[in-house]
Amino acid sequence: MHIIDFFRPTLVLLALATHGSAAPFDKAGKKLWMSTPEHTIPPAGVPTSYPLNPSRRAQPPSGVHLPSPKDHPYPNEQDGHADFIRKPDQHPRAPGFQERAPVIKGVRSALDPNAQSPLNEGNPLAFKSKGHPYIPNTQLFDSSAIKTPLPTNRWWLNLMIEHGTDPIHPYPYVVRCLTNSSTVGMPKFTAEAEHVTSTQPSDWTISDAQNRLTQRRVTQTDALGVEVTWTGSGNAQMQSRFYKGMAFQTFEMQSMVPQLSTIHAILKVEKLGRTVLSARENVAEVTQDVANMPAVTKLTLNDGSQWLVAAKPAIDWTQTSTGKLQGNYTFSGFVQLAHLGDKPDSNINVLQRYVGTYPTEGAVTYAQVQTSDGTERAANIVFFYKTNTAANGDSNTIYNAQSVSPTVQLLTFALPHQMDLMNSTSVVSGGLSGYRSSKGPLTAIAGNIISYKQPLQQVGFAGPRALGSNEKAQIQRQLLKDAATSTNITAEDPYFFGKGVAKVARLLQIAQEVEDSASAASLSARLVSLLKPWLVSQTNSDPLVYDKTWGGIVSTLGLSDPSMDFGQGRYNDHHFHYGYFLYAGAVLASYDISLFAPFREPLNQLLRDYANPSYVDSQFPFMRHFDPYDGHSWAAGLFTFADGRNQESSGEAINAYYSAYLYAKALGFQDVASFYEIILNMEAHSGRRYWHPMRAQSEELYGKPFIHNTVGIVWASKVDHVTFFGANDEYVYGIQMLPFTPATSLLLTPDWVREAWSPGSSSGGMKAAAQAAGTNGWAQFLYSAYGMVDRNTALDKALTCTPDDGNTNTNVLHWILTNEQLTVAA
């Protein structure tokens, strides 16, 4: 049976319950439900599930320029009467929701994202334009600042869709932004054999004691985070900027009486002295440092947790009930909250040194570097945060752990994949203990600039090893069979069709490598005939259209029904779908640019839809899916999930950016190709780290008894060793590998394959999974991977299998024969 015969409820249609117990259909087989975990309790009035219609189709597996420096945002901060809420005219913004990122001295970006991309050649839209029936809720965001093209896949998107009250996950915290308040909680993670789940508590609610806040909206966004503003009567306002990895959650307040409420009982309230580790030598200056520090209070709750609360100006908190604290005057200033982790006594000593500093803007620069002899190719990934504690009003000043007092440094956390490649000098001395995310433990970092060096492994159109004459002849014999039997692509939706057309393009690429010019000519003609109805005449049964409401290209059926085409109409999986189209375009362009010419503009636009490298594009958002902090993409689109964003297929995500890289390279867009090469290697690095860990790494990240070396779905707040279409081990392994191309070697390593082939502590291993799958396409994927360590056995087994609808025996044979170990980072 072909893989496509399996029904795959996508993440749009089914978010598996904590124990995988949610059934995709009711007894009548008519309804599909999007379920939230049993332990997750959303705010009152927020539904836990949404009925959707079943799909008609079976589902397969699937740096830069800144505005001129601003004055210090709070010039009268010391007297406690500053205007703490930013005015709209204080921060000029780029068109749409996208932000400009700052120039960081000495760092050269791989391309200028504040210029129009060469992919935007000024041509009219290649697809018909339609409005989207799912209308953006402008009660949830400031439509004067955040315009089309709108974000559809950002990590914080729950704030802008449905009720806007589902949680977001600025690691290590979980946050909900309600109409009149915000909640902050510290998740607790539990590892089970097939899942790692987390609680999503609202430990604290931050609000106005006089209930004057009546509206909250997303008011700004940037490359790393989001700004939320609450407004109300009597000039009461509150504002917070949420970024991942911040040690403190900070709330700026104006004309408010601050109130902190907890679901627990407050057992103890302790006022702490102001302490600071100062880099200054002058006693008077040190004294001034101390005077400028926020007042700090330690709170002990009856669940055993302890929290630090900092306020500037000082607040003399009054406990008005078992679980409520209130300020004693109308306040304009800021309040910060931080959990004290699992070692409160030592953690508080570190946290106290960094209170008072928080980010006001975030940016990312991707800078390619290369040694003079070309032996080392890498990229500097630089995260830069502007902060409120800028020296002499210069908010572009870069602080690090060696240069200044901690009183002006930003305290952040780094994820494991960042720590793999980071210089350790920024790690906070003494560290912080007990902070983690769904991706494992977090490491404390000091400074408002975080940089790490991402190695760049080169891949191209051809396999990593040149073929010998006998191998070429062997592949050519198989190619002639597959060219005659495997190029009739009848799929009607963009995912199935994309896989099919990319399969034909792989055959064309392989035909060139084995020097079969006749087959190449025939296959190129077939590729042209397949692409024309979708991209030129648009006479296919499910045409692509431009959505002028959100800003993107969607399928007609997906536009009208959110359950169709994997939720494609609501921006689910676009990088998976269109990555296949772009691979076909890249191969055709490299083969014959004249044959490619009719498809150039529609393919340019498909690429801009999922991987637009320009902030100033008025039609498509910047890098729709990619999350630079996590180092990978989020697939989920305009659907809310209590567990946050998610991504299943790391293999198809890698294929998306591999295809983008090849396409830009084929068209001669070198700067764009360099940028995509960086994104590709980042996606692959995170893919190895979080979807394909060695078992020892899995224990480090996720904890016993979850010790798998393949993760099926990575969420913002949990991980699953299952897929959206089933829990079989061959599904979990296979969906993380397909499609097999030269880029697959960025994800798989011989050591990983060797370990995965053997039984693990909680699974029978990849060998047992392949045997259980028999001779279907899933088994073929696993045997193909095994070719990295045992080619002969892999060939014997793999070539007896029936290929997946996006694969051929020619591709399997080519991949195994050309594959060799590549040197990749941990």
Side-chain angles (χ1 to χ4, degrees):
M1 182 161 56
H2 292 290
I3 287 172
I4 62 171
D5 294 327
F6 289 100
F7 183 82
R8 179 195 179 194
T10 70
L11 58 90
V12 168
L13 305 175
L14 172 64
L16 293 176
T18 302
H19 300 288
S21 59
F25 296 99
D26 63 14
K27 291 182 180 179
K30 294 181 180 179
K31 198 170 279 188
L32 214 63
W33 292 86
M34 180 164 61
S35 304
T36 55
E38 296 169 4
H39 62 269
T40 300
I41 304 174
V46 178
T48 57
S49 58
Y50 303 88
L52 296 172
N53 295 323
S55 170
R56 68 162 190 168
R57 298 195 181 103
Q59 307 293 324
S62 46
V64 287
H65 176 68
L66 241 201
S68 57
K70 301 180 291 293
D71 292 335
H72 192 287
Y74 316 122
N76 302 315
E77 187 175 54
Q78 294 182 25
D79 64 14
H81 299 289
D83 181 1
F84 267 74
I85 306 300
R86 293 197 291 188
K87 297 294 189 298
D89 59 357
Q90 282 183 294
H91 294 268
R93 304 294 177 181
F97 83 95
Q98 305 99 329
E99 291 286 354
R100 293 179 179 270
V103 173
I104 300 174
K105 188 175 181 179
V107 177
R108 179 186 179 275
S109 178
L111 85 168
D112 181 3
N114 289 326
Q116 286 289 356
S117 162
L119 295 169
N120 185 355
E121 297 181 310
N123 296 316
L125 286 167
F127 305 95
K128 293 179 180 178
S129 180
K130 291 187 176 182
H132 204 295
Y134 185 66
I135 304 299
N137 183 355
T138 54
Q139 294 298 308
L140 297 178
F141 66 95
D142 181 357
S143 58
S144 68
I146 302 171
K147 303 177 182 179
T148 304
L150 294 168
T152 59
N153 299 73
R154 294 295 180 219
W155 66 267
W156 45 262
L157 195 70
N158 278 355
L159 297 173
M160 276 184 56
I161 55 178
E162 300 299 334
H163 302 283
T165 52
D166 278 331
I168 61 172
H169 301 85
Y171 316 138
Y173 300 102
V174 56
V175 168
R176 288 180 175 88
C177 295
L178 310 180
T179 301
N180 61 355
S181 60
S182 180
T183 72
V184 175
M186 175 61 81
K188 294 181 176 65
F189 288 84
T190 301
E192 301 174 10
E194 302 302 313
H195 311 272
V196 179
T197 59
S198 67
T199 60
Q200 306 220 29
S202 296
D203 290 312
W204 291 100
T205 298
I206 300 92
S207 64
D208 176 47
Q210 298 179 353
N211 296 316
R212 289 173 298 174
L213 299 178
T214 57
Q215 184 181 36
R216 81 103 179 116
R217 295 190 300 172
V218 174
T219 47
Q220 295 292 350
T221 76
D222 58 38
L224 292 170
V226 60
E227 176 187 273
V228 178
T229 302
W230 290 259
T231 56
S233 60
N235 297 320
Q237 294 187 60
M238 183 169 74
Q239 191 171 82
S240 187
R241 300 168 196 89
F242 298 106
Y243 293 94
K244 292 180 182 178
M246 294 298 134
F248 299 93
Q249 292 299 308
T250 304
F251 297 87
E252 298 171 340
M253 301 176 181
Q254 182 173 304
S255 301
M256 282 178 53
V257 177
Q259 181 172 272
L260 303 179
S261 307
T262 177
I263 58 175
H264 312 289
I266 302 171
L267 301 182
K268 194 174 184 180
V269 179
E270 301 176 70
K271 296 180 182 178
L272 304 180
R274 299 187 179 193
T275 60
V276 60
L277 177 61
S278 180
R280 306 177 190 269
E281 296 182 1
N282 184 285
V283 174
E285 291 178 339
V286 173
T287 302
Q288 185 63 39
D289 277 346
V290 175
N292 287 337
M293 291 291 288
V296 178
T297 304
K298 184 171 75 170
L299 305 175
T300 302
L301 307 182
N302 69 341
D303 68 339
S305 68
Q306 293 185 323
W307 291 75
L308 181 151
V309 177
K312 183 180 180 183
I315 295 176
D316 187 10
W317 296 102
T318 299
Q319 187 169 352
T320 58
S321 68
T322 303
K324 190 175 293 184
L325 296 174
Q326 184 174 312
N328 56 354
Y329 64 97
T330 300
F331 176 84
S332 292
F334 65 81
V335 173
Q336 295 182 298
L337 290 88
H339 193 278
L340 293 183
D342 61 4
K343 294 182 180 178
D345 292 342
S346 59
N347 286 343
I348 197 169
N349 292 330
V350 175
L351 288 164
Q352 276 190 271
R353 303 206 314 259
Y354 296 90
V355 294
T357 299
Y358 53 89
T360 58
E361 289 188 40
V364 187
T365 297
Y366 309 88
Q368 196 170 62
V369 295
Q370 182 172 333
T371 57
S372 57
D373 59 3
T375 57
E376 180 189 12
R377 299 179 66 256
N380 284 326
I381 313 302
V382 183
F383 301 96
F384 175 71
Y385 298 95
K386 290 187 176 184
T387 70
N388 64 310
T389 53
N392 300 319
D394 180 6
S395 58
N396 286 306
T397 301
I398 294 173
Y399 299 124
N400 58 55
Q402 285 70 49
S403 62
V404 296
S405 163
T407 59
V408 294
Q409 288 181 35
L410 188 64
L411 183 61
T412 68
F413 289 108
L415 287 168
H417 79 278
Q418 296 167 342
M419 292 306 302
D420 291 342
L421 307 172
M422 191 179 294
N423 187 320
S424 62
T425 58
S426 293
V427 176
V428 172
S429 177
L432 289 169
S433 175
Y435 301 86
R436 63 161 299 153
S437 73
S438 59
K439 294 182 170 69
L442 300 170
T443 302
I445 301 294
N448 71 330
I449 184 167
I450 300 171
S451 176
Y452 65 90
K453 184 176 287 188
Q454 173 66 60
L456 299 180
Q457 177 63 54
Q458 284 185 295
V459 291
F461 284 95
R465 187 181 66 82
L467 293 162
S469 57
N470 291 337
E471 293 170 325
K472 288 182 179 179
Q474 183 182 3
I475 293 173
Q476 185 180 20
R477 289 192 294 271
Q478 184 62 53
L479 174 67
L480 293 172
K481 297 177 185 178
D482 288 336
T485 61
S486 299
T487 63
N488 184 28
I489 312 303
T490 59
E492 298 176 353
D493 69 291
Y495 180 76
F496 280 152
F497 176 79
K499 288 181 68 177
V501 76
K503 173 178 69 174
V504 176
R506 279 297 294 149
L507 293 176
L508 172 56
Q509 174 59 35
I510 293 168
Q512 296 175 78
E513 291 182 49
V514 300
E515 302 174 39
D516 184 344
S517 57
S519 291
S522 174
L523 288 164
S524 65
R526 180 60 182 148
L527 197 56
V528 168
S529 69
L530 289 169
L531 289 172
K532 274 186 177 179
W534 280 82
L535 301 180
V536 179
S537 65
Q538 297 175 29
T539 55
N540 60 302
S541 63
D542 188 9
L544 299 175
V545 297
Y546 177 78
D547 161 28
K548 62 184 178 181
T549 303
W550 292 86
I553 298 169
V554 297
S555 68
T556 297
L557 290 174
L559 186 69
S560 61
D561 186 341
S563 68
M564 297 296 286
D565 300 346
F566 298 98
Q568 214 264 17
R570 290 203 185 177
Y571 296 94
N572 194 61
D573 292 358
H574 275 208
H575 57 327
F576 297 168
H577 297 194
Y578 298 153
Y580 287 117
F581 283 75
L582 266 296
Y583 180 80
V587 171
L588 187 60
S590 69
Y591 174 74
D592 188 329
I593 198 69
S594 63
L595 290 177
F596 164 79
F599 311 111
R600 179 180 181 121
E601 188 57 35
L603 286 171
N604 280 355
Q605 292 177 23
L606 285 183
L607 181 51
R608 286 162 60 203
D609 175 90
Y610 79 84
N612 176 27
S614 171
Y615 283 114
V616 296
D617 194 316
S618 64
Q619 294 168 322
F620 302 96
F622 181 80
M623 297 301 291
R624 185 182 301 280
H625 296 272
F626 190 72
D627 185 329
Y629 182 86
D630 287 81
H632 66 76
S633 298
W634 298 113
L638 299 175
F639 298 87
T640 61
F641 297 94
D643 292 305
R645 303 288 95 189
N646 64 68
Q647 179 163 271
E648 182 182 54
S649 179
S650 58
E652 288 178 308
I654 286 168
N655 182 65
Y657 301 115
Y658 171 59
S659 300
Y661 166 67
L662 293 182
Y663 184 86
K665 190 174 180 180
L667 269 60
F669 300 151
Q670 188 54 51
D671 285 352
V672 177
S674 295
F675 173 71
Y676 287 145
E677 184 182 29
I678 295 170
I679 302 299
L680 167 62
N681 277 270
M682 291 177 70
E683 187 86 38
H685 179 209
S686 287
R688 292 191 303 273
R689 199 64 164 98
Y690 304 123
W691 280 263
H692 291 259
M694 301 294 283
R695 289 189 182 112
Q697 289 180 321
S698 183
E699 181 176 352
E700 167 211 342
L701 296 177
Y702 306 126
K704 291 182 178 180
F706 189 94
I707 311 179
H708 297 283
N709 57 10
T710 300
V711 170
I713 309 165
V714 172
W715 299 74
S717 62
K718 70 171 184 174
V719 296
D720 292 315
H721 183 71
V722 296
T723 71
F724 286 115
F725 53 93
N728 292 10
D729 278 348
E730 65 268 27
Y731 303 164
V732 180
Y733 283 115
I735 196 64
Q736 302 308 335
M737 299 176 183
L738 65 86
F740 273 75
T741 70
T744 307
S745 293
L746 296 178
L747 188 60
L748 305 182
T749 66
D751 287 345
W752 180 88
V753 170
R754 193 174 292 109
E755 182 187 77
W757 201 250
S758 63
S761 59
S762 56
S763 102
M766 196 158 67
K767 180 179 180 180
Q771 291 171 342
T775 59
N776 66 17
W778 294 109
Q780 188 173 61
F781 288 137
L782 308 195
Y783 288 125
S784 295
Y786 189 58
M788 299 193 86
V789 296
D790 185 344
R791 289 184 180 181
N792 292 334
T793 299
L795 286 170
D796 289 343
K797 295 287 188 180
L799 294 178
T800 64
C801 296
T802 301
D804 167 48
D805 57 303
N807 203 11
T808 63
N809 281 337
T810 298
N811 187 48
V812 170
L813 182 60
H814 175 273
W815 196 88
I816 294 174
L817 291 178
T818 60
N819 183 72
E820 64 182 6
Q821 183 176 359
L822 300 178
T823 302
V824 293

